[in-house]
């Protein structure tokens, strides 16, 4: 029994073709939307590529751009087929291409669904990318005189100001690295010498943070140096008092920003996928209804359209049988080639009579 079997007359076929033509052009605009989302996400990721460890995060925007281009191409072509299907003479040239085209549509929709899932599942990969990238970026914060790294201070400062964050996981991350350049240290000072000698790696570590970690909404002037020294500031206890530094780490802030953006895009792509699936089903019904016309010379006669010629179970069984036959055929061919090789390898014995 055919799946989703529907009876059609000429009027219904015309309405289906016209509706599909309109839906395909809506799908073209949806493809432009998907392409634009991918382009926007790629630009946003490139803005902060200095604090990302690898290029794996660009897989999602690249996939969206590709899916957007394919959607425009596939649906533009389908729109042309639907328009020509109103004229039997014009439709005849597209008839041999419809089955391969529908097979390609199935593959395209599977890929589109996969990309939508990836948008929701990229959070873990993005988290590790940001964690390592921010860690490396903070190490290069002081290298304002080093070619290729002189921009890192500005990048980190702008990032902390824009996203209202501090450090990788929090403000204490700055205590573990030397973020002040040697150029601005007085090496004749006893305090500087003692701090460098007290560190195994010879780094100048302080319990301070860059100015970009300061929260301008705090009523108290920013305490960015000697953050953990209560006696250095009047009426201050860093363990109980609400610090006037951003509490949230930049990894969490960026992860929330990008994962929220990707989740929204994933939801949009799922809607586009559902729309594309309905277009594909409609195109299949149009294809089968036109093929099953008993008398092609009488376009007004009734016909039947279906999505699958047999039930879902029978179609699945038939596909499995075809795969098994294909496997057996390949085995037979391999066996035949082996036999030929063995026969060719045999050398006939020659007896020489003297």
């Amino acid at each position: 029994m055919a799946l989703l079997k529907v009876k059609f007359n000429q009027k219904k076929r015309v309405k289906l073709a016209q509706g599909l033509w309109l839906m395909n052009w809506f799908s073209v605009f949806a493809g432009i939307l998907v392409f634009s989302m991918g382009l926007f996400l790629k630009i946003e990721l490139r803005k902060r590529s200095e604090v990302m460890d690898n290029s794996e995060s660009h897989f999602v925007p690249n996939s969206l751009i590709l899916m957007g281009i394919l959607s425009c191409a596939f649906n533009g072509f389908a729109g042309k087929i639907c328009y020509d299907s109103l004229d039997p003479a014009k439709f005849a040239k597209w008839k041999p291409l419809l089955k391969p085209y529908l097979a390609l549509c199935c593959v395209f929709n599977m890929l589109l669904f996969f990309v939508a899932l990836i948008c929701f599942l990229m959070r873990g990969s993005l988290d590790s990318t940001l964690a390592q990238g921010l860690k490396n970026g903070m190490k290069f914060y002081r290298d304002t005189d080093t070619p290729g790294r002189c921009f890192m201070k500005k990048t980190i400062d702008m990032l902390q100001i824009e996203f209202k964050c501090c450090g990788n996981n929090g403000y204490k991350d700055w205590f573990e690295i030397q973020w002040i350049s040697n150029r601005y240290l007085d090496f004749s000072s006893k305090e500087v010498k003692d701090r460098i000698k007290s560190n195994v790696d010879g780094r100048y570590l302080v319990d301070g943070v860059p100015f970009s970690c300061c929260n301008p909404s705090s009523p108290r002037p920013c305490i960015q140096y000697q953050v953990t020294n209560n006696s250095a500031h009047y009426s201050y206890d860093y363990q109980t008092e609400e610090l006037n530094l951003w509490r949230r780490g930049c990894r969490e802030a960026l992860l929330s920003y990008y994962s929220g953006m990707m989740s929204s895009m994933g939801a949009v792509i799922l809607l586009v996928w559902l729309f594309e699936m309905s277009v594909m089903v409609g195109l299949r019904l149009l294809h089968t209804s036109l093929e099953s016309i008993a008398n092609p010379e009488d376009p007004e006669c009734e016909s039947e359209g279906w999505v699958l010629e047999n039930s879902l179970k029978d179609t699945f069984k038939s596909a499995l049988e075809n795969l098994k036959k294909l496997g057996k055929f390949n085995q037979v061919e391999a066996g035949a080639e082996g036999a030929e090789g063995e026969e060719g390898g045999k050398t006939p014995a020659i007896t020489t009579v003297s």
Side-chain angles (χ1 to χ4, degrees):
M1 185 179 176
L3 183 67
L4 288 178
K5 198 171 186 178
V6 183
K7 285 189 176 182
F8 288 92
N9 54 29
Q10 188 188 21
K11 189 177 179 181
K12 283 185 178 180
R13 286 194 296 269
V14 169
K15 282 186 177 180
L16 179 60
Q18 290 174 339
L20 284 172
W21 178 83
L22 189 62
M23 288 175 73
N24 274 295
W25 285 111
F26 276 123
S27 295
V28 169
F29 289 117
I32 294 171
L33 175 64
V34 172
F35 176 84
S36 303
M37 288 192 303
L39 198 61
F40 173 75
L41 182 58
K42 193 171 185 68
I43 292 169
E44 285 296 304
L45 289 170
R46 282 203 177 277
K47 279 182 184 177
R48 297 167 189 94
S49 58
E50 294 89 355
V51 293
M52 292 186 177
D53 186 45
N54 54 48
S55 58
E56 286 180 12
S57 52
H58 287 274
F59 175 74
V60 173
N62 291 340
S63 300
L64 291 177
I65 290 169
L66 178 62
M67 288 296 106
I69 293 170
L70 289 177
S71 178
C72 292
F74 274 101
N75 290 293
F77 183 69
K80 174 64 176 171
I81 292 174
C82 294
Y83 182 78
D84 286 350
S85 65
L86 299 172
D87 184 353
K90 289 182 178 179
F91 177 72
K93 65 180 180 181
W94 299 116
K95 201 172 179 180
L97 299 175
L98 271 174
K99 279 189 178 180
Y101 173 75
L102 286 167
L104 286 174
C105 282
C106 287
V107 175
F108 168 74
N109 282 310
M110 287 169 65
L111 289 174
L112 193 63
F113 184 75
F114 173 73
V115 170
L117 287 181
I118 290 295
C119 287
F120 293 108
L121 301 174
M122 274 294 288
R123 184 182 176 90
S125 176
L126 192 61
D127 188 11
S128 58
T129 296
L130 286 168
Q132 191 60 41
L134 282 165
K135 186 178 178 181
N136 293 334
M138 289 170 66
K139 285 180 182 177
F140 303 142
Y141 182 88
R142 64 173 181 164
D143 297 338
T144 51
D145 298 327
T146 306
R149 296 178 186 171
C150 54
F151 60 86
M152 190 56 73
K153 179 184 181 299
K154 180 182 177 182
T155 300
I156 297 291
D157 283 334
M158 293 302 295
L159 178 69
Q160 293 188 146
I161 292 170
E162 182 181 352
F163 286 90
K164 299 179 180 180
C165 59
C166 184
N168 192 344
N169 298 306
Y171 70 92
K172 289 186 179 179
D173 291 338
W174 289 108
F175 300 173
E176 300 171 4
I177 63 170
Q178 180 181 338
W179 55 272
I180 300 173
S181 174
N182 289 337
R183 181 182 178 184
Y184 304 106
L185 295 176
D186 182 9
F187 287 96
S188 62
S189 169
K190 185 179 182 301
E191 182 191 350
V192 173
K193 287 180 181 179
D194 290 344
R195 281 190 179 274
I196 291 174
K197 285 179 182 178
S198 65
N199 186 263
V200 177
D201 298 327
R203 295 178 297 170
Y204 181 76
L205 304 181
V206 293
D207 56 341
V209 296
F211 78 97
S212 52
C213 282
C214 295
N215 181 356
S217 302
S218 174
R220 181 169 188 156
C222 184
I223 296 174
Q224 65 178 108
Y225 293 107
Q226 295 183 318
V227 176
T228 58
N229 187 358
N230 293 333
S231 60
H233 313 283
Y234 176 72
S235 184
Y236 176 75
D237 185 351
Y238 84 96
Q239 290 181 326
T240 59
E241 187 176 344
E242 183 70 26
L243 294 179
N244 50 9
L245 304 176
W246 299 119
R247 292 280 188 175
R248 188 166 66 157
C250 290
R251 179 183 60 83
E252 182 188 344
L254 283 172
L255 185 62
S256 176
Y257 175 70
Y258 283 121
S259 59
M261 188 187 297
M262 286 184 183
S263 296
S264 301
M265 289 180 178
V268 172
I269 295 166
L270 278 178
L271 291 174
V272 172
W273 174 75
L274 288 171
F275 193 75
E276 291 282 0
M277 287 294 291
S278 63
V279 171
M280 188 179 70
V281 169
L283 191 60
R284 174 62 176 166
L285 286 171
L286 180 65
H287 168 224
T288 51
S289 66
L290 288 169
E291 274 199 333
S292 62
I293 294 175
N295 184 10
E297 294 179 1
D298 182 18
E300 294 184 4
C301 68
E302 290 188 350
S303 62
E304 291 182 341
W306 55 83
V307 175
L308 293 175
E309 194 169 359
N310 300 312
S311 65
L312 195 62
K313 186 179 178 181
D314 292 339
T315 304
F316 184 69
K317 282 183 178 179
S318 177
L320 281 178
E321 286 175 3
N322 289 332
L323 285 173
K324 285 178 182 178
K325 285 178 182 178
L326 184 63
K328 287 179 181 178
F329 180 72
N330 288 335
Q331 287 177 1
V332 169
E333 279 193 340
E337 286 175 2
E340 286 178 6
E342 287 177 4
E343 287 177 5
K346 290 179 182 177
T347 305
I350 300 173
T351 305
T352 306
V353 180
S354 55

